[in-house]
């Protein structure tokens, strides 16, 4: 009751017309992977390759059109590859919803940065001396909101900024906001200090030290 089809290049799909279970599909994937590994070993590793699989239970599909089934099958396969390859991934609607939300947020972040960082804000969490409860500085917090989704958690949008490289311009924007606030506060508290978190992406892929020195110079800070 199963049929094997070639989709394109090195992508194939096995369709079980008898209504096999997800567990059976997982077991089939494991057998295929073992057979391929045996082939590689029998040929003394002259050719080495891996196989990734996306497993889809059609009962979980809300729209059973060809295009939709192929789209979410491709998603399940790509998730297996993204998680390290040579493994399988079982499609879930929750994972797909998270994927679509991430895709939406990525697009919104791009648009925001192109639109002069609309929606980005720098919040400042005050820091006090414990012994006398006097204010001496602040921690800078990057925040983001948009009309479509409202306030988005930093735990959600900052990893996207890092993955896309957008953390470089966004981080520069927040750095300037922080240094500007530090300059303003020093009119009232001369030794006021600002803490700013720096992403490792900024460290590796940009001249962050130039951005810091430029901001310090612009706002006349020591």
């Amino acid at each position: 009751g199963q049929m094997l089809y070639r989709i394109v290049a090195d992508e194939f799909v096995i369709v079980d017309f008898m209504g096999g279970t997800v567990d059976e599909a997982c077991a089939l994937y494991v057998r295929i992977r073992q057979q391929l590994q045996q082939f590689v070993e029998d040929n003394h590793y002259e050719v080495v390759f891996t196989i990734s699989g996306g497993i889809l239970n059609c009962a979980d599909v809300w729209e059973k059109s060809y295009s939709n089934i192929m789209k979410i099958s491709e998603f399940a396969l790509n998730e297996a590859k993204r998680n390290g390859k040579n493994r399988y991934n079982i499609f879930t609607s929750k994972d797909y919803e998270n994927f679509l939300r991430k895709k939406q947020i990525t697009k919104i972040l791009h648009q925001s940065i192109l639109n002069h960082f609309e929606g980005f804000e720098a919040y400042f969490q005050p820091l006090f001396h414990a012994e006398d409860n006097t204010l001496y500085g602040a921690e800078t917090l990057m925040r983001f909101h948009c009309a479509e989704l409202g306030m988005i958690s930093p735990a959600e949008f900052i990893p996207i900024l890092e993955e896309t490289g957008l953390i470089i311009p966004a981080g520069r924007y927040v750095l300037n906001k922080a240094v500007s606030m530090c300059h303003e506060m020093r009119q009232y508290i001369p030794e006021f200090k600002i803490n700013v978190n720096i992403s490792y992406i900024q460290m590796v892929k940009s001249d962050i030290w130039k951005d810091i020195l430029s901001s310090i110079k612009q706002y006349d800070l020591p």
Side-chain angles (χ1 to χ4, degrees):
Q2 296 173 335
M3 292 289 290
L4 173 68
Y5 301 93
R6 183 180 181 184
I7 303 302
V8 63
D10 62 350
E11 289 190 9
F12 296 81
V13 61
I14 297 172
V15 182
D16 190 329
F17 293 98
M18 304 299 290
T21 67
V22 168
D23 287 342
E24 289 171 340
C26 294
L28 175 59
Y29 164 84
V30 171
R31 291 203 304 276
I32 294 172
R33 188 179 69 186
Q34 289 172 343
Q35 289 291 319
L36 289 173
Q37 182 60 33
Q38 188 62 52
F39 173 83
V40 170
E41 292 178 6
D42 291 344
N43 285 272
H44 310 291
Y45 294 89
E46 292 180 7
V47 176
V48 177
F49 58 92
T50 60
I51 180 167
S52 302
I55 295 176
L56 172 64
N57 183 354
C58 283
D60 297 332
V61 179
W62 55 96
E63 179 194 332
K64 291 179 173 56
S65 66
Y66 171 80
S67 60
N68 189 56
I69 289 175
M70 292 306 299
K71 180 172 64 177
I72 58 180
S73 296
E74 188 75 16
F75 164 75
L77 174 60
N78 288 336
E79 284 293 283
K81 294 178 179 178
R82 189 177 66 83
N83 290 329
K85 299 183 178 180
N86 211 32
R87 64 185 65 201
Y88 64 81
N89 173 267
I90 301 172
F91 172 84
T92 68
S93 57
K94 183 172 179 58
D95 285 344
Y96 191 60
E97 288 167 7
N98 291 338
F99 164 76
L100 293 178
R101 178 177 170 86
K102 181 178 179 180
K103 189 175 180 181
Q104 181 184 15
I105 292 174
T106 301
K107 181 179 179 181
I108 290 170
L109 290 170
H110 271 281
Q111 292 172 339
S112 168
I113 289 173
L114 289 174
N115 198 24
H116 307 291
F117 302 95
E118 181 182 11
F120 280 96
E121 292 182 293
Y123 284 22
F124 300 98
Q125 181 172 293
L127 302 172
F128 293 88
H129 288 296
E131 59 272 16
D132 57 10
N133 204 35
T134 57
L135 178 68
Y136 71 89
E139 176 88 13
T140 309
L141 307 173
M142 183 188 286
R143 295 292 181 262
F144 182 77
H145 61 86
C146 61
E148 298 92 330
L149 301 174
M151 204 76 176
I152 301 175
S153 167
E156 190 171 17
F157 76 80
I158 288 180
I160 296 176
L161 290 176
E162 291 180 329
E163 288 174 17
T164 58
L166 294 174
I167 192 67
I168 294 173
R172 189 180 297 124
Y173 169 81
V174 170
L175 173 65
N176 285 330
K177 288 289 185 182
V179 176
S180 172
M181 173 60 74
C182 189
H183 172 78
E184 182 179 344
M185 288 299 297
R186 277 179 171 251
Q187 312 307 310
Y188 309 99
I189 305 173
E191 297 300 317
F192 192 84
K193 295 175 181 172
I194 285 278
N195 296 338
V196 183
N197 291 317
I198 302 297
S199 166
Y200 75 99
I201 297 296
Q202 293 171 272
M203 299 289 292
V204 172
K205 297 187 176 181
S206 73
D207 292 329
I208 184 63
W209 60 275
K210 288 184 179 180
D211 294 335
I212 295 170
L213 292 176
S214 175
S215 293
I216 287 173
K217 183 177 181 182
Q218 180 182 351
Y219 291 98
D220 193 28
L221 292 179

